[in-house]
Amino acid sequence: MQPSTPQQIHLADYRPPAYLVDHVHLTFRLAPKGTRVISRIRFRANPAGTGGDLVLDGEGLRLIGAAIDGVALGAGDYLITQAGLRVAAARLPGDAFTWEAEVAIDPEGNTALEGLYLSKGMFCTQCEAEGFRKITFYPDRPDVMAPFDVRIESDLPVLLSNGNPVGQGAGWAEWHDPWPKPAYLFALVAGDLVAHADSFTTMEGRAVALNIWVRPGDEGKCAYAMDALQRSMAWDETAYGRAYDLDIFNIVAVDDFNMGAMENKGLNIFNSKFVLASPETATDRDYEFIESIVAHEYFHNWTGNRVTCRDWFQLCLKEGLTVFRDQQFSADARSAPVQRISDVLQLRARQFREDAGPLAHNVRPEAYAEINNFYTATVYEKGAEVIGMLHRLVGAQAYRAALDLYFARHDGQACTIEDWLAVFSEVTGRDLSQFKLWYTQAGTPRLSAAWSMAEGQMHLTLRQEVPATPGQPHKSPMVIPVALGLLDQTGAEILPETLVVLDQAEVVIPFDLAALAAEAGRPLPEAVIPSLLRGFSAPVILDAPVSRADRLVLLAHDTDPFNRWEAGRSLMRETLLGMLLGGAADQAFFAAMGRLLADDSLDPAFRALVLALPSEDDIAQAAQESGIVPDPVMIHATRRDLQVAMGVALGSVLTQLYDALDPGPSYRPDAAQAAQRALRNAALHLLTLSEGPTRAQAHYDAANNMTDEIAAFTALLDIGDSDVAGRFHDRWQDDRLVMDKWFMAQISHAAPGDAVALARRLSAHPLFDWTNPNRFRAVIGGLTAGNPAGFHDPSGAGYGFVADWLIRLDARNPQTAARMSSAFETWRRYDADRQAMILAALDRIAAQPGLSRDLAEMVGRMRAA
Ligand code: ZN
């Protein structure tokens, strides 16, 4: 049985809206079960549209009454369907009119966390992508932009909406947002909240009040997010010339939230996990996320809000660009090479995985059933890589000029990828039609390199191949920027970084080695070691026949830090694949690692990244790329063997690092201190695996911050400590965010054979609130993402457990259920037995009566041949 895939929407069918909106006025009479929303909307026929009926989106709304130009509508004057409301053109008074409506909605019954809902007594909204239609009847599409006035009536003390406050009294507040915006950027919050307040003065001299709103008791955990916000505001002024444009900027932290955060104009709403931090409760990694997500949402004010998307197919226009901007910001705020390596790790772990399976899609998709399913690693992370390539191709100066033109030309507009590329073509005179394939062809290109030397000449051959992906059997050659350098056999650089652009299936590039060596003041080399794809200049899989010996030279000497790390990474990957096939790790590799780890001239954060092993899923992916069927259980055991071997072989240098890198009693979340902890805790982990619990137990007892505490906790879990989980629980049971870590860590670090049983047990724990997305992700994601060997247990128990929970969650929160279903996207990698069991689980989900469009689309795509 093939599950039927839901109705699709196509980019090719885009039509401009029939009516535009000149102004919106909304009144909210808040009540948990029966909130009234009274709307007054000025419509005007779109000169670029086709006219006709007034069609408004609306879902789950009870219409109390409606009027046009003050004349009440009778039941025969409109048609209500599941999707919205229609007024026939003949009933409209002319080209411009005012629509008024009153609807009743049920925030308390809204478990999908989309539209207006309640979270612990606080009203809040989530409208992207199509949640506004659950609040009132409206043309809920991003190319309809309007200024909003909002009045909120409620007894709750804090009443917030977009824009500037214009009045407030007992039981009411009014807000005015002068900047035209699409409905997906609308937001409202009402609750018993307290503010961590500060201010910022823009380069234009505007004094902006800044507030981070949290529940009473959490106000002491906002300082870092505030600092990140102020730094983001300053950075956007310097790096992009963009200043903030309202008198107030509010951030609200919410416990029940489907994603990370949302860039609503002037009123960002955040998952509390990406706002609240104290040294005792948040890890260095949490601080890093807070910094980059605060930046990301703030940067949307220009890339997303002032210039928005014409339709949801253009999502990467705002998301890819905004991720690129937050990555630039983090690179400036911390270490650029470390940031680049982390971004590539993330890209490979999430986007390459997606691209290699049935969910592969274009950076700009061409069809969807449920747009929420396309907030993906491909749209976000690959979307950012595409902009990074553009940046590299045109250079920083032209990039800035193109962006200046983009903002000047498109401020207040809803745009497309064509508009975006046009500013680059105009500024640089380049033809970007081939480059545009990055937006319209899915799949990770494979780049292969080969070289030969003769008579002082080297010829480098670069070849590309783009694999077939669902719906795209044949691909054209793409524009691949390849940054490269050449080293001689001693590791001396004879060609400094150079950009080669591969825009055909194959190119051969000659290098005059004699001339290059002379220029570098070196003798003519006997052999050359190419350092290819420096800085990961394109999101491709590189196959290059660099020998192990040459990779050890790159690891020790490359001038490009990314490729230094990459050399170590590929050695480790190859070692692991070799061990899977019965081989062993070689001493030269350990020796090289030892030298690098002991090199105190290197950033400890960089050394920690070199020391980190590929994740189990990375190894499975690497196996798949080289045609080996991965066995998750064996991968887990092999990876553990290598960790223990590293602990033994590198024992003395790891012990030295552990002793030397203690940052002392006063915790700071900055990059320098975090780097020390990262390397020290990586050493602790390997030493615990090779030597036993003593050091980790002492580390746990001495920890004065969550980074150290969780490092010792997980190391102890890894060696089967049976009582540390109880101690952690007793200390933290009243802290929701810390308890998410408790659930997640135990399942992720369980022995694979015990993981499903433990997940089952923890899903019956009194603190397992499956209706809270963070907690659901902690437990179910702890298994699917945190413990792949447990999830892929040969019995199939993991698949059944996850399918049961996805079915249960789908009835309540389709968006999060669908998102988590991608745990199954890798099914084709595995052996026939596992494939059959995963397909059975998917079929069981597909057969559920009343399955959401979200989950039905995901399962249908994963199931498709
Ligand atoms: Zn975003």
Side-chain angles (χ1 to χ4, degrees):
M1 181 207 67
Q2 278 290 318
S4 60
T5 24
Q7 182 81 43
Q8 292 206 312
I9 299 167
H10 295 269
L11 169 58
D13 294 340
Y14 173 82
R15 298 291 176 273
Y19 294 90
L20 301 177
V21 174
D22 285 332
H23 184 259
V24 179
H25 191 286
L26 300 172
T27 300
F28 287 81
R29 305 210 164 113
L30 294 177
K33 286 191 173 53
T35 286
R36 293 297 175 97
V37 184
I38 299 148
S39 59
R40 192 168 72 241
I41 305 167
R42 257 327 271 166
F43 282 103
R44 169 170 53 90
N46 182 2
T50 49
D53 298 354
L54 176 68
V55 180
L56 304 178
D57 300 296
E59 281 175 22
L61 309 173
R62 189 158 63 83
L63 183 62
I64 308 293
I68 291 181
D69 284 349
V71 181
L73 299 189
D77 295 327
Y78 57 84
L79 186 74
I80 289 194
T81 66
Q82 289 246 305
L85 180 150
R86 175 186 292 264
V87 182
R91 307 266 178 177
L92 299 172
D95 276 357
F97 51 87
T98 298
W99 160 268
E100 288 170 280
E102 177 167 356
V103 302
I105 54 178
D106 174 16
E108 198 174 79
N110 180 353
T111 61
L113 313 184
E114 194 184 56
L116 177 67
Y117 64 95
L118 272 172
S119 171
K120 298 222 172 73
M122 157 182 171
F123 288 87
C124 65
T125 55
Q126 173 54 43
C127 292
E128 188 176 7
E130 298 180 332
F132 191 75
R133 62 190 61 188
K134 295 177 161 187
I135 292 174
T136 194
F137 290 105
Y138 196 76
D140 186 9
R141 44 187 289 170
D143 56 355
V144 173
M145 301 174 78
F148 278 58
D149 281 283
V150 175
R151 176 180 169 87
I152 308 170
E153 298 176 7
S154 163
D155 292 335
L156 289 162
V158 176
L159 308 175
L160 308 172
S161 191
N162 315 92
N164 295 317
V166 288
Q168 67 178 84
W172 64 274
E174 290 180 355
W175 292 82
H176 170 65
D177 184 0
W179 300 105
K181 67 167 177 292
Y184 82 86
L185 291 171
F186 169 80
L188 175 152
V189 168
D192 183 7
L193 301 169
V194 289
H196 174 110
D198 210 319
S199 63
F200 183 86
T201 302
T202 69
M203 64 183 184
E204 293 162 352
R206 183 195 290 267
V208 183
L210 309 177
N211 297 297
I212 299 181
W213 296 94
V214 295
R215 289 193 286 129
D218 284 339
E219 57 274 31
K221 294 183 178 171
C222 303
Y224 190 74
M226 180 60 81
D227 176 53
L229 174 60
Q230 289 165 325
R231 288 185 286 115
S232 301
M233 296 177 85
W235 186 90
D236 212 13
E237 294 185 348
T238 337
Y240 282 83
R242 300 290 117 200
Y244 188 61
D245 53 5
L246 290 166
D247 303 330
I248 187 165
F249 187 81
N250 287 312
I251 288 178
V252 181
V254 182
D255 285 347
D256 299 284
F257 203 68
N258 279 336
M259 308 252 272
M262 180 62 211
E263 70 264 23
N264 316 299
K265 183 79 187 192
L267 178 53
N268 289 2
I269 300 182
F270 273 60
N271 187 323
S272 52
K273 120 188 212 168
F274 296 121
V275 175
L276 304 178
S278 69
E280 298 72 37
T281 58
T283 62
D284 291 329
R285 190 101 188 94
D286 293 329
Y287 278 96
E288 229 179 283
F289 271 122
I290 290 168
E291 176 176 72
S292 70
I293 296 178
V294 165
H296 179 98
E297 306 311 331
Y298 175 74
F299 297 156
H300 268 315
N301 192 54
W302 276 95
T303 52
N305 300 4
R306 288 284 286 263
V307 182
T308 196
C309 302
R310 186 192 73 174
D311 54 71
W312 292 119
F313 297 101
Q314 321 294 329
L315 184 59
C316 64
L317 180 76
K318 75 178 177 80
E319 295 303 347
L321 176 54
T322 305
V323 170
F324 179 70
R325 276 152 52 72
D326 83 55
Q327 291 175 347
Q328 287 182 307
F329 166 76
S330 296
D332 285 354
R334 295 171 177 248
S335 144
V338 165
Q339 179 67 28
R340 185 61 188 145
I341 294 166
S342 312
D343 291 340
V344 173
L345 276 168
Q346 164 95 339
L347 180 80
R348 285 179 173 154
R350 299 181 55 229
Q351 201 280 323
F352 282 23
R353 168 184 154 114
E354 183 166 73
D355 240 356
L359 299 179
H361 56 274
N362 300 346
V363 169
R364 181 171 70 178
E366 271 152 34
Y368 62 78
E370 171 51 63
I371 186 58
N372 283 333
N373 288 337
F374 286 82
Y375 286 75
T376 59
T378 297
V379 169
Y380 277 66
E381 266 86 51
K382 189 174 179 181
E385 290 299 316
V386 172
I387 294 174
M389 287 189 284
L390 210 43
H391 185 274
R392 196 184 279 271
L393 285 167
V394 306
Q397 238 181 338
Y399 173 84
R400 174 65 194 267
L403 268 284
D404 288 347
L405 178 59
Y406 179 69
F407 293 123
R409 178 180 288 174
H410 295 298
D411 187 12
Q413 295 180 2
C415 295
T416 62
I417 289 303
E418 283 74 15
D419 295 326
W420 163 255
L421 289 175
V423 296
F424 282 86
S425 298
E426 282 177 42
V427 162
T428 65
R430 278 171 189 256
D431 175 359
L432 292 172
S433 46
Q434 189 189 357
F435 183 83
K436 193 180 166 190
L437 289 170
W438 282 107
Y439 290 99
T440 59
Q441 277 192 169
T444 309
R446 294 195 74 137
L447 174 67
S448 52
W451 51 94
S452 61
M453 287 176 44
E455 292 160 24
Q457 291 282 313
M458 171 183 175
H459 286 93
L460 173 67
T461 304
L462 296 174
R463 198 174 295 127
Q464 61 166 302
E465 205 176 313
V466 189
T469 48
Q472 292 185 342
H474 305 294
K475 311 281 172 122
S476 309
M478 334 239 327
V479 179
I480 301 183
V482 182
L484 58 86
L486 298 176
L487 280 60
D488 71 15
Q489 66 279 12
T490 70
E493 188 168 73
I494 54 168
L495 173 68
E497 186 163 313
T498 300
L499 187 67
V500 167
V501 180
L502 173 62
D503 58 4
Q504 298 154 44
E506 182 178 314
V507 292
V508 179
I509 307 143
F511 293 98
D512 184 341
L513 293 181
L516 290 173
E519 213 167 305
R522 305 280 311 170
L524 182 67
E526 291 154 30
V528 167
I529 307 171
S531 166
L532 299 167
L533 213 64
R534 282 186 166 178
F536 204 62
S537 58
V540 301
I541 296 170
L542 172 65
D543 301 307
V546 184
S547 69
R548 280 187 82 82
D550 286 354
R551 273 177 289 167
L552 288 169
V553 174
L554 290 169
L555 175 64
H557 300 292
D558 202 335
T559 57
D560 177 52
F562 179 86
N563 266 6
R564 255 187 111 167
W565 169 81
E566 180 81 319
R569 184 77 171 180
S570 84
L571 286 166
M572 227 186 239
R573 194 187 306 125
E574 197 177 274
T575 300
L576 282 159
L577 291 179
M579 288 168 72
L580 280 172
L581 301 172
D586 68 57
Q587 290 310 314
F589 170 65
F590 291 136
M593 290 287 280
R595 276 193 299 276
L596 193 130
L597 289 175
D599 182 350
D600 287 332
S601 70
L602 295 170
D603 179 353
F606 175 80
R607 285 182 277 165
L609 285 166
V610 174
L611 190 59
L613 281 89
S615 73
E616 291 172 29
D617 196 68
D618 291 338
I619 301 166
Q621 197 177 106
Q624 178 188 23
E625 281 164 14
S626 34
I628 304 169
V629 175
D631 174 350
V633 177
M634 207 159 110
I635 287 175
H636 175 83
T638 305
R639 183 171 182 276
R640 179 58 53 85
D641 286 347
L642 183 57
Q643 287 175 315
V644 173
M646 286 168 67
V648 172
L650 303 170
S652 66
V653 62
L654 293 173
T655 308
Q656 277 166 28
L657 289 172
Y658 182 82
D659 293 339
L661 286 169
D662 185 351
S666 74
Y667 177 93
R668 276 179 289 116
D670 59 39
Q673 254 205 19
Q676 295 193 341
R677 276 185 293 271
L679 184 54
R680 184 167 193 246
N681 285 330
L684 171 73
H685 187 231
L686 295 180
L687 290 170
T688 303
L689 294 179
S690 61
E691 293 176 359
T694 316
R695 186 181 278 98
Q697 275 158 355
H699 195 88
Y700 188 83
D701 293 336
N704 69 349
N705 63 79
M706 184 47 68
T707 308
D708 286 335
E709 189 168 337
I710 207 89
F713 181 46
T714 53
L716 290 169
L717 290 171
D718 269 348
I719 56 168
D721 183 304
S722 55
D723 90 13
V724 68
R727 293 175 62 199
F728 193 103
H729 170 277
D730 294 348
R731 168 142 194 230
W732 292 114
Q733 53 185 312
D734 297 326
D735 189 303
R736 218 183 39 76
L737 293 174
V738 177
M739 284 309 280
D740 287 337
K741 301 181 196 300
W742 181 79
F743 279 99
M744 165 84 90
Q746 284 183 86
I747 299 170
S748 307
H749 292 268
D754 303 335
V756 178
L758 179 64
R760 224 180 266 291
R761 203 149 19 90
L762 290 179
S763 69
H765 191 281
L767 289 176
F768 179 62
D769 172 9
W770 64 276
T771 69
N772 174 263
N774 290 357
R775 190 58 51 90
F776 187 90
R777 275 188 289 265
V779 170
I780 311 304
L783 183 66
T784 59
N787 198 326
F791 175 49
H792 292 284
D793 186 85
S795 67
Y799 308 144
F801 173 79
V802 172
D804 288 345
W805 274 110
L806 293 181
I807 289 167
R808 184 153 179 204
L809 185 64
D810 187 54
R812 186 178 168 98
N813 183 338
Q815 194 182 328
T816 292
R819 181 158 278 272
M820 301 227 30
S821 73
S822 65
F824 290 116
E825 76 182 324
T826 54
W827 66 273
R828 283 182 179 283
R829 274 185 198 160
Y830 298 105
D831 55 273
D833 285 349
R834 285 192 172 91
Q835 289 197 7
M837 290 187 290
I838 298 176
L839 288 177
L842 290 174
D843 285 348
R844 189 155 66 81
I845 297 172
Q848 285 301 306
L851 198 68
S852 69
R853 176 172 61 210
D854 310 53
L855 190 51
E857 180 183 38
M858 293 296 280
V859 172
R861 284 165 65 209
M862 285 190 280
R863 193 67 186 75

